[in-house]
Amino acid sequence: MRLSSVFSWATGAAFLLALPTTMAAERVPVVTSFSILADMVENVGGEHVEVTPLIGADSDAHSYSPSPGDVRTLSHARLVVFNGLHFEGWMARLLETSGYNGTLVTATDGITPLMNHGHDHAAQHEHGEHHGHGHDGHDGHDGHDHGTADPHAWQDMARARTYVTNIRDGLITADSDHATDYRANAKRYLDKLASADADIRQLLSNVPTETAVITGHDSFGYFAEAYGLRFLAPEGLATTADPSAARMAELVDVIKQQRIQALFHENMTSPVAITQLAEETGLSVAGTLYADALAREGEAASYIGMMRHNAKVLHKALHETLADD
């Protein structure tokens, strides 16, 4: 074999070996504030994105504090996606510190938020007084204040469609070369959301609207409105403070007086308060729900899977309880 042929073969082989690395380097670096948004971005971005959530699976966004590593991560991103509605009170400072100047998507843009869970008086507790996440950490006594808006809008799959379209548009802005793919991926994902939403509505349609359950913190207001359930919680919209003795006593009374069917742990909050309520009332803990974070593995490791899991666990607990009545 001639030397020039050997050289050409070796050069070609080296190029092929380096190709995956080259292709990986061309993927758009996207940073999301938490795991649910990361899954949405991956579904819309597909092979063109490399997604890094600042807050991973089974982790609590309410107690999160950015690290120097997060500053570096943001400084290399081309797109940053966060929830908004005061959910990430640390985001403005983190963006400023990192010097980030790329595309920024507020996933809840265009969504009309629920205000104070006004449909259920028993769920109105300490929403803006002591809990939550403010924009700059200075509008609440502990640096965390939701104000009066409930930020957990992803818990309604109809509102989640707005998340997806905002993410699609952000990806197109950051990487217009793959706009056609982002539009196609978003359409497929939106169809999956609609199908899952319809399935959940059908599954929960036979649960009487007066039934209620208790979860670790007050994050299921949108789920309650969308699917006709009532949720109560020992804590407010955030998880940064333990529920007061008065609040616990109030919930014990509510359990005894109203149609409270089940208690549920959450994957990213302390089980102590729910376990205490179970001990004091004799009501069983019927399972684990996923509110602000995906699971590390299993069905709830994706957003759609998480929503399906929650619906099935709720239906099973409420169906069995009602059947026993």
Side-chain angles (χ1 to χ4, degrees):
M1 183 180 293
R2 295 189 332 185
L3 185 60
S4 60
S5 298
V6 172
F7 179 78
S8 297
W9 177 86
T11 302
F15 173 78
L16 289 173
L17 288 172
L19 189 59
T21 303
T22 303
M23 291 176 67
E26 293 175 349
R27 295 167 75 181
V28 179
V30 182
V31 173
T32 68
S33 55
F34 64 115
S35 57
I36 292 170
L37 294 180
D39 182 61
M40 291 179 175
V41 172
E42 287 170 352
N43 274 278
V44 179
E47 64 184 1
H48 303 305
V49 298
E50 185 71 35
V51 186
T52 303
L54 296 177
I55 305 164
D58 286 327
S59 298
D60 185 3
H62 295 280
S63 60
Y64 175 75
S65 295
S67 69
D70 295 332
V71 174
R72 290 192 296 272
T73 299
L74 245 69
S75 67
H76 296 300
R78 284 173 56 189
L79 173 65
V80 170
V81 182
F82 69 109
N83 186 76
L85 295 179
H86 309 293
F87 186 66
E88 304 99 337
W90 37 267
M91 181 58 77
R93 291 193 302 274
L94 182 58
L95 289 168
E96 182 179 358
T97 303
S98 68
Y100 178 75
N101 59 5
T103 305
L104 188 64
V105 169
T106 305
T108 55
D109 272 355
I111 289 176
T112 301
L114 292 180
M115 308 300 285
N116 287 335
H117 292 185
H119 61 281
D120 189 346
H121 177 73
Q124 294 183 47
H125 50 276
E126 301 170 351
H127 281 213
E129 297 172 16
H130 303 291
H131 304 294
H133 293 267
H135 278 305
D136 58 7
H138 297 292
D139 50 0
H141 87 293
D142 60 357
H144 300 281
D145 185 3
H146 279 302
T148 57
D150 183 343
H152 306 89
W154 64 84
Q155 287 289 346
D156 173 6
M157 298 193 84
R159 284 180 168 95
R161 297 175 64 84
T162 300
Y163 279 62
V164 174
T165 56
N166 287 334
I167 288 168
R168 176 201 64 198
D169 294 346
L171 283 168
I172 291 172
T173 299
D175 179 29
S176 59
D177 290 346
H178 297 111
T180 300
D181 288 346
Y182 295 143
R183 290 191 181 97
N185 291 345
K187 184 181 184 306
R188 281 193 296 270
Y189 190 48
L190 288 169
D191 288 344
K192 291 180 180 179
L193 290 182
S195 177
D197 187 28
D199 289 346
I200 291 172
R201 290 179 188 279
Q202 178 62 32
L203 181 65
L204 298 177
S205 63
N206 63 346
V207 177
T209 57
E210 69 271 16
T211 58
V213 300
I214 293 181
T215 58
H217 88 293
D218 196 2
S219 58
F220 287 94
Y222 292 92
F223 194 103
E225 183 192 63
Y227 306 116
L229 298 176
R230 290 180 60 226
F231 288 78
L232 308 176
E235 301 181 31
L237 284 170
T239 61
T240 49
D242 293 330
S244 66
R247 177 60 185 161
M248 292 294 288
E250 177 189 349
L251 283 170
V252 170
D253 289 340
V254 168
I255 289 171
K256 293 176 179 178
Q257 296 169 7
Q258 300 186 31
R259 288 175 57 85
I260 306 299
Q261 263 62 46
L263 302 172
F264 293 92
H265 289 311
E266 290 180 22
N267 66 316
M268 33 60 68
T269 59
S270 170
V272 173
I274 295 297
T275 301
Q276 181 181 339
L277 285 173
E279 292 172 351
E280 294 187 15
T281 64
L283 200 60
S284 64
V285 178
T288 297
L289 300 178
Y290 292 82
D292 297 3
L294 300 179
R296 295 186 186 279
E297 58 185 10
E299 180 181 33
S302 72
Y303 168 66
I304 291 177
M306 176 193 85
M307 296 296 288
R308 288 187 181 276
H309 166 89
N310 287 347
K312 287 188 287 190
V313 169
L314 285 161
H315 179 267
K316 182 176 185 295
L318 296 176
H319 180 74
E320 289 180 353
T321 304
L322 293 170
D324 293 338
D325 286 349

